[in-house]
Amino acid sequence: MTALPTTRPGRPDERTSLPERRTTRRSAGRRRSTTILVTGVLVVAALYFLVPVYWVVVAATKSSGDLFATNGFLLGHTFALWDNLGRVLSYDNGIFVRWFLNSVLYAGVGSLLATYFAAAGGYALAKYRFRGSQTVYGLILGGVLVPGTATALPLFLLFSQMGIANTYWSVLLPSLVSPFGLFLCRVYADATVDPALLEAARLDGAGELRIFHTVGLRVLTPALVTVFLFQLVGIWNNYFLPLVMLSDTSLFPITLGLNTWLSQVNRLPEFYELTTGGVLLSIIPLAIAMIVLQRFWRGGLTEGAVK
């Protein structure tokens, strides 16, 4: 008598090789048309973001004449990238370098402190119950809806009375507050920081601050990277707040400094070369930060772990 197969319907044969099983799992429930559609949408989105960057790179290699006489997406007759970058770094006794360092200060320090404060506030609202916590959370959600341009003028009047307008503090202090970052950290902490981890740390004799720094921050790493990158990009590209707060060109960030160069192109066309070269240099730190930090978005190994 012929033996009947022992495999269950809908399940792979025991004799099926491991690579074949993995391929079966990956392809299960996925249509080819859906894959093509999703890939097409991602390609269009990638081109939408990369084409302007490509144009900036090409434009920075051209002289003022080639910039208008040649196709914007093709190289010019002369490769003037290094000459343009040299003029950017040396113009007006290296004022661009000063603007670059100012942006590093505003965006670097502001992003780090804003991320830390957002993590501390979100962790506290998620893991501690106290009177008025929901009211505080509601006010924070309201702060997310208020655009930064609406608070720039009141902040300028307040800082003027305090005597810190037209200083580094007038741009740095507003950058330390991130309502969206606090909201994100609160949601993420509520979902991933297991109360059992906190209770185990308390039983070991750890204080609340130590628990936050050794347990909470490690579990919150993916959310912290997200908040940091959002703050870094937002502060680095911020234009309106420095425009309102600052009048001394030595305190300008890159955005405000490049705009002053751009406003002079009608009088001096060579400022086109300075502006395109400066824009190219200004996007390098953001690209480096994105490449280095994107790996943390995969999630922490201790996310939600209980042993």
Side-chain angles (χ1 to χ4, degrees):
M1 182 180 293
T2 305
L4 295 176
T6 58
T7 56
R8 298 180 183 178
R11 297 186 62 182
D13 194 340
E14 296 290 341
R15 294 166 294 180
T16 305
S17 62
L18 183 59
E20 293 178 358
R21 294 182 191 177
R22 291 177 178 174
T23 304
T24 303
R25 295 194 194 101
R26 285 196 299 266
S27 61
R30 183 184 301 174
R31 297 181 179 178
R32 182 178 180 83
S33 59
T34 302
T35 303
I36 295 175
L37 178 61
V38 172
T39 304
V41 172
L42 293 177
V43 169
V44 172
L47 291 176
Y48 176 80
F49 290 105
L50 293 179
V51 167
V53 177
Y54 171 76
W55 184 92
V56 169
V57 174
V58 173
T61 64
K62 299 180 179 181
S63 61
S64 297
D66 289 342
L67 191 61
F68 295 97
T70 59
N71 189 295
F73 295 98
L74 299 177
L75 295 176
H77 302 296
T78 58
F79 188 81
L81 175 62
W82 309 119
D83 294 336
N84 292 340
L85 295 183
R87 282 194 288 269
V88 169
L89 298 176
S90 61
Y91 180 80
D92 195 13
N93 296 322
I95 189 63
F96 180 84
V97 178
R98 180 66 179 266
W99 295 340
F100 187 90
L101 295 177
N102 290 341
S103 292
V104 171
L105 174 65
Y106 297 140
V109 177
S111 300
L112 285 175
L113 293 180
T115 302
Y116 177 80
F117 293 150
Y123 174 86
L125 289 174
K127 294 305 170 184
Y128 298 112
R129 296 293 178 262
F130 54 91
R131 181 176 300 178
S133 60
Q134 294 302 320
T135 303
V136 173
Y137 186 58
L139 292 175
I140 293 170
L141 291 180
V144 175
L145 303 177
V146 179
T149 54
T151 60
L153 185 57
L155 283 175
F156 173 75
L157 298 176
L158 176 62
F159 290 166
S160 297
Q161 295 178 355
M162 298 173 59
I164 60 175
N166 195 32
T167 64
Y168 286 110
W169 292 109
S170 61
V171 179
L172 189 58
L173 287 178
S175 304
L176 303 182
V177 180
S178 175
F180 171 76
L182 196 150
F183 163 75
L184 180 63
C185 288
R186 194 264 186 189
V187 174
Y188 196 84
D190 190 43
T192 60
V193 180
D194 197 287
L197 285 174
L198 307 183
E199 290 299 329
R202 293 188 182 105
L203 291 176
D204 289 338
E208 296 300 325
L209 283 177
R210 184 177 180 183
I211 294 174
F212 168 67
H213 288 103
T214 58
V215 178
L217 289 181
R218 292 185 180 181
V219 178
L220 291 174
T221 296
L224 299 184
V225 173
T226 304
V227 174
F228 177 80
L229 286 177
F230 269 94
Q231 282 294 107
L232 181 68
V233 175
I235 299 172
W236 189 274
N237 295 329
N238 194 2
Y239 170 77
F240 188 72
L241 180 64
L243 177 65
V244 173
M245 295 293 180
L246 304 176
S247 59
D248 186 356
T249 56
S250 63
L251 302 178
F252 283 3
I254 284 183
T255 52
L256 201 55
L258 291 177
N259 186 71
T260 61
W261 282 356
L262 184 62
S263 63
Q264 303 182 56
V265 295
N266 292 330
R267 182 173 56 89
L268 297 171
E270 59 267 21
F271 274 97
Y272 278 115
E273 302 171 5
L274 295 176
T275 303
T276 54
V279 171
L280 177 60
L281 292 177
S282 69
I283 65 177
I284 293 177
L286 298 182
I288 294 175
M290 186 66 67
I291 294 173
V292 171
L293 297 177
Q294 59 86 25
R295 64 189 181 91
F296 291 100
W297 276 333
R298 299 172 185 174
L301 295 177
T302 60
E303 184 177 322
V306 180
K307 292 185 178 180

